Amino acid sequence: MKTVTEFPRKVVEFPDMGIVMPDGCRLSARVWMPVDAADDPVPAILEHLPYRKRDGTIFRDQLTHPYFAGHGYASIRVDMRGNGDSEGLMDDEYSEQELQDACDVIAWAASQPWCNGNVGMMGISWGGFNCLQVAAKQPPALKAVISLCSTVDRYADDIHYKGGCLLIENFGWASTMLSYSSRPPDPLLAGDNRWRDLWMTRLENQPFLAPLWLKHQHRDAYWKRGSICEDYSAIHAAVLSIGGWHDGYRNTISHLVTNIEAPVKGIVGPWIHKYPHYAAPKPAIGFLQEALRWWDRWLKDIDTGVEADPAYRAYVMDSVRPARWHPERPGRWVAEQVWPSPDIKIQAIDLIPEGSKPAIVASPQSCGLAGGEYFPFTFGPELPGDQRPDDALSVCFDQPPLSEAIDIVGAPEVLVRVSSDRRQANIAVRLCDVHPDGASELISYGVFNLTHHDSHEFPKALVPGEPITARVVLDQCAYRVPAGHHLRIAVSNAYWPMIWPSPESVQLDLSAATLMLPLRPLAKGDEVTFPTPEAATPWATETVRPANSERHLERDEKTGIVTLSISDDFGEVRDLAHGLANGSIARETWTIHPDNSLSASGKTHWTQTLSRNEWSVRTETFAEIRSDTQSFMVSARIEAYEGDNLVFERNFEEKVPRALL
């Protein structure tokens, strides 16, 4: 990545610009803008997050926001209320208060003498979600959005539920936010006599969100609010949507390009959950240059050609050997002028010959351990590995070896006719690329709660032995399967630890199954190109403790219990400008017995540290989830320390009735 140090306009930075909301709550913003913006006003770009600008997202902020400012923008990175250096309290994700605050910040920015009245909003993950939700509220000054790794449906395509199945990331993310939001503001900004009061108030009111999210197990009004798929026509701002094939949010780009009437374009690369100018697997792209083309067109009314760009640009990944991490994915960029593309044809493949006996699906509860993380985040062993261990626990439908290569571009589907011997059952379908030597690489997957075959909002208990039809939609993908390889469709009724298991062991009788495969004419090379990555000067730090990620899978041969242990030590670094050191360690433990769905349990433990000279604080958060046939049991604890002294402790514990999960 090329570091740019000279820009068209000289930049000035404000590390703690206060923005006071109508209710008096002061939000802290870090702002970069041209030094002469008051004389030559510029558009503003807002990123509105809970992830702490001072020490949380500072690595990517340093690369990005000064770059925009140097090209004639006021780039505003706001800590949401209740987080980082801002006042107030946060009670849930994407609350009406959060979205209103963003609208108020947009109105404030547009009214400043250094702003020309036009505002854009951008972000990845949380910031990608809320910029779309804010756009749906149509604040007058908001003209354009760049949304990365986001969703249009908070129920069906976030970290909560997928295909009506409970994602274990639901609990995992609640644990993460309990840790993230439990940290204090920086005393250098909040003041020596004020930071602790703000911290104690924050800790006393800190929510543990897992019980709340578990109370909404169906697609009810709670999830509909903030899901822009409820009314795509509400989006009037121009939207650039970007994602990665190794991220959990890979479907949104297609949804937005298909449904939004406002100007919209989509880009999907081979990346994990990162901005694409420094993402991996490579190739990275010049995201900041692409963003400037978008901002210049919609915020400065400069003809940059973005309207003539293809509607959908995607990276078709070549087949590679299965591995938990790929630093690079060979492949090629393809472009579709319209999306859905008329050039992509659906090939229907019957998996069960007519007249055959039903296939019996009765997977061990430990099936799924080769699936990797829901959204890989570290540059480490989080991708799906060789699928053969899971294939061995599934019913597999192998197709003949390919005589010529195929490009799969789109969302495969499997239509099934199936009966269950229990009132509730899940089904997981994986599409795999099987190498000539038997190695199995995951192309895409889908999971589905069969009680939702008519509706995610009003599911119905299954009648044991009574067949139903269901459509299992796999995630969007772009993948080349070479000649000599063959496709495998693997079907299981467990997918641990991606989804929480059924309350009882289940047997499915699969009497019919049809794969609907989206095939694009074989690309002969890159159909579109991107500039090489550029960025502003990187964050200046010194390493106190290096980062390290580990995953360990253990099987107790005496008890049969299978345990997945994950440790992500994000290391500790010290900011060379203001001296704040921050460190973070996340630990997860997932256990299950292959024959007992009620043995499933998950535990997390997060450690966060902040220090400067003689001042230091630490938070420890612990959480646990388990279930019986009737309920989920969740608990959590926060411990906060000044130096070595415990200054705050709080416990959470709640039992949530289990619906059709």
Side-chain angles (χ1 to χ4, degrees):
M1 182 165 57
K2 177 184 176 183
T3 297
V4 179
T5 57
E6 298 293 331
F7 295 103
R9 296 177 73 168
K10 187 176 180 181
V11 176
V12 61
E13 177 193 335
F14 303 90
D16 180 39
M17 185 177 287
I19 307 174
V20 180
M21 296 292 95
D23 64 357
C25 179
R26 181 187 187 274
L27 304 185
S28 175
R30 189 179 182 194
V31 180
W32 299 258
M33 68 176 69
V35 295
D36 60 345
D39 299 322
D40 185 5
V42 297
I45 299 167
L46 169 64
E47 191 172 11
H48 188 69
L49 295 173
Y51 299 145
R52 302 178 61 93
K53 59 181 170 49
R54 189 73 159 168
D55 48 65
T57 63
I58 187 170
F59 168 79
R60 72 191 197 206
D61 292 346
Q62 288 286 153
L63 298 176
T64 300
H65 292 290
Y67 188 95
F68 290 150
H71 285 89
Y73 292 88
S75 212
I76 306 169
R77 169 64 180 86
V78 175
D79 277 344
M80 280 168 38
R81 70 167 66 204
N83 293 274
D85 298 307
S86 289
E87 297 176 352
L89 300 170
M90 183 182 75
D91 60 2
D92 196 2
E93 59 182 11
Y94 320 121
S95 68
E96 285 301 308
Q97 182 67 68
E98 171 189 337
L99 303 183
Q100 185 58 51
D101 283 349
C103 290
D104 290 335
V105 172
I106 288 169
W108 169 87
S111 70
Q112 299 305 302
W114 38 259
C115 183
N116 72 356
N118 293 331
V119 180
M121 192 171 177
M122 66 172 286
I124 185 172
S125 198
W126 194 306
F129 284 45
N130 67 20
C131 70
L132 291 173
Q133 295 168 14
V134 170
K137 291 187 172 295
Q138 302 174 15
L142 184 65
K143 301 298 193 298
V145 161
I146 300 180
S147 177
L148 302 96
C149 303
S150 60
T151 191
V152 300
D153 191 330
R154 294 183 58 220
Y155 177 77
D157 220 12
D158 191 4
I159 50 86
H160 302 291
Y161 299 87
K162 187 178 181 71
C165 303
L166 173 64
L167 286 166
I168 291 179
E169 192 59 37
N170 184 306
F171 166 78
W173 191 247
S175 303
T176 300
M177 287 310 301
L178 183 66
S179 175
Y180 278 12
S181 295
S182 68
R183 292 171 287 177
D186 184 349
L188 277 187
L189 298 184
D192 289 339
N193 299 320
R194 187 164 166 269
W195 73 269
R196 196 178 188 280
D197 290 340
L198 289 173
W199 188 30
M200 289 298 114
T201 300
R202 188 175 293 177
L203 288 167
E204 289 163 1
N205 293 276
Q206 191 62 224
F208 179 48
L209 293 169
L212 171 62
W213 296 338
L214 283 171
K215 290 173 184 175
H216 299 277
Q217 294 168 32
H218 304 150
R219 195 176 187 281
D220 58 15
Y222 175 83
W223 301 114
K224 292 179 182 180
R225 188 198 61 77
S227 291
I228 66 162
C229 61
E230 292 295 305
D231 182 11
Y232 284 110
S233 68
I235 302 287
H236 293 171
V239 176
L240 176 59
S241 176
I242 300 177
W245 294 132
H246 288 101
D247 181 51
Y249 302 127
R250 56 183 72 91
N251 301 312
T252 302
I253 305 90
S254 175
H255 292 320
L256 289 172
V257 175
T258 300
N259 292 290
I260 285 185
E261 296 177 4
V264 59
K265 303 292 180 182
I267 301 171
V268 199
W271 314 301
I272 59 172
H273 197 72
K274 300 289 183 185
Y275 274 99
H277 50 315
Y278 65 90
K282 293 181 179 179
I285 65 169
F287 162 71
L288 297 181
Q289 299 97 301
E290 283 296 314
L292 281 176
R293 293 179 65 230
W294 198 253
W295 299 136
D296 285 351
R297 170 62 186 90
W298 304 112
L299 302 184
K300 293 183 177 179
D301 199 25
I302 298 172
D303 184 0
T304 61
V306 294
E307 290 162 290
D309 287 345
Y312 191 77
R313 288 166 282 179
Y315 190 77
V316 178
M317 300 188 298
D318 281 340
S319 174
V320 292
R321 300 295 298 177
R324 286 293 192 178
W325 176 244
H326 297 291
E328 185 172 358
R329 287 298 299 253
R332 67 220 40 86
W333 285 99
V334 300
E336 294 291 350
Q337 291 300 321
V338 296
W339 187 263
S341 170
D343 294 329
I344 294 177
K345 308 300 182 184
I346 304 299
Q347 179 182 358
I349 302 172
D350 287 329
L351 305 178
I352 300 176
E354 188 175 352
S356 300
K357 291 183 178 180
I360 296 175
V361 183
S363 307
Q365 301 298 329
S366 53
C367 181
L369 287 163
E373 291 291 324
Y374 177 67
F375 61 92
F377 185 77
T378 68
F379 296 90
E382 297 186 342
L383 303 183
D386 195 321
Q387 298 295 291
R388 281 180 285 191
D390 286 344
D391 293 350
L393 306 178
S394 308
V395 172
C396 295
F397 301 95
D398 283 13
Q399 302 306 297
L402 294 171
S403 59
E404 57 185 27
I406 59 172
D407 281 355
I408 303 171
V409 180
E413 298 182 6
V414 175
L415 311 178
V416 299
R417 184 148 180 87
V418 62
S419 63
S420 167
D421 65 346
R422 295 290 186 266
R423 297 175 67 252
Q424 190 278 329
N426 300 323
I427 189 170
V429 178
R430 291 176 292 113
L431 177 63
C432 300
D433 162 23
V434 182
H435 294 236
D437 66 354
S440 181
E441 171 80 356
L442 184 66
I443 300 173
S444 185
Y445 80 99
V447 294
F448 192 71
N449 182 341
L450 292 171
T451 67
H452 291 228
H453 65 278
D454 284 339
S455 168
H456 286 310
E457 187 172 3
F458 304 108
K460 296 183 295 186
L462 303 173
V463 177
E466 183 175 299
I468 61 164
T469 57
R471 183 170 67 109
V472 184
V473 181
L474 281 61
D475 284 339
Q476 292 274 338
C477 61
Y479 189 99
R480 174 165 294 182
V481 187
H485 291 215
H486 69 267
L487 293 176
R488 172 175 292 159
I489 298 86
V491 181
S492 61
N493 55 2
Y495 203 45
W496 174 265
M498 192 72 73
I499 63 173
W500 198 260
S502 300
E504 301 176 277
S505 295
V506 172
Q507 176 179 306
L508 299 177
D509 286 1
L510 191 62
S511 56
T514 302
L515 170 66
M516 311 298 289
L517 197 63
L519 297 179
R520 185 183 190 272
L522 209 65
K524 294 180 173 58
D526 285 332
E527 299 172 357
V528 67
T529 59
F530 293 93
T532 57
E534 292 182 352
T537 302
W539 183 28
T541 65
E542 64 173 341
T543 299
V544 179
R545 185 182 72 251
N548 182 55
S549 294
E550 297 182 5
R551 298 175 71 97
H552 299 282
L553 183 61
E554 299 177 358
R555 184 184 308 274
D556 188 317
E557 294 296 341
K558 182 177 181 181
T559 66
I561 294 289
V562 178
T563 302
L564 173 63
S565 301
I566 302 170
S567 176
D568 286 326
D569 183 347
F570 298 102
E572 183 177 3
V573 297
R574 179 176 290 106
D575 186 292
L576 294 180
H578 55 65
L580 185 66
N582 76 94
S584 181
I585 306 174
R587 312 162 191 87
E588 301 178 8
T589 305
W590 306 99
T591 62
I592 200 164
H593 191 286
D595 300 329
N596 182 5
S597 62
L598 299 182
S599 66
S601 71
K603 295 181 180 180
T604 64
H605 172 201
W606 276 84
T607 301
Q608 304 277 2
T609 59
L610 294 169
S611 64
R612 180 188 289 111
N613 300 326
E614 301 303 314
W615 175 82
S616 67
V617 296
R618 183 176 94 252
T619 60
E620 306 279 357
T621 61
F622 307 84
E624 183 173 1
I625 183 171
R626 53 191 176 86
S627 69
D628 57 24
T629 58
Q630 301 298 317
S631 304
F632 292 99
M633 286 74 75
V634 290
S635 61
R637 184 171 82 255
I638 304 176
E639 297 174 357
Y641 295 82
E642 287 186 66
D644 294 327
N645 298 318
L646 178 66
V647 296
F648 182 88
E649 185 174 9
R650 185 177 173 205
N651 292 290
F652 307 79
E653 189 168 356
E654 194 161 349
K655 180 182 287 189
V656 181
R658 192 168 185 161
L660 289 173
L661 281 174

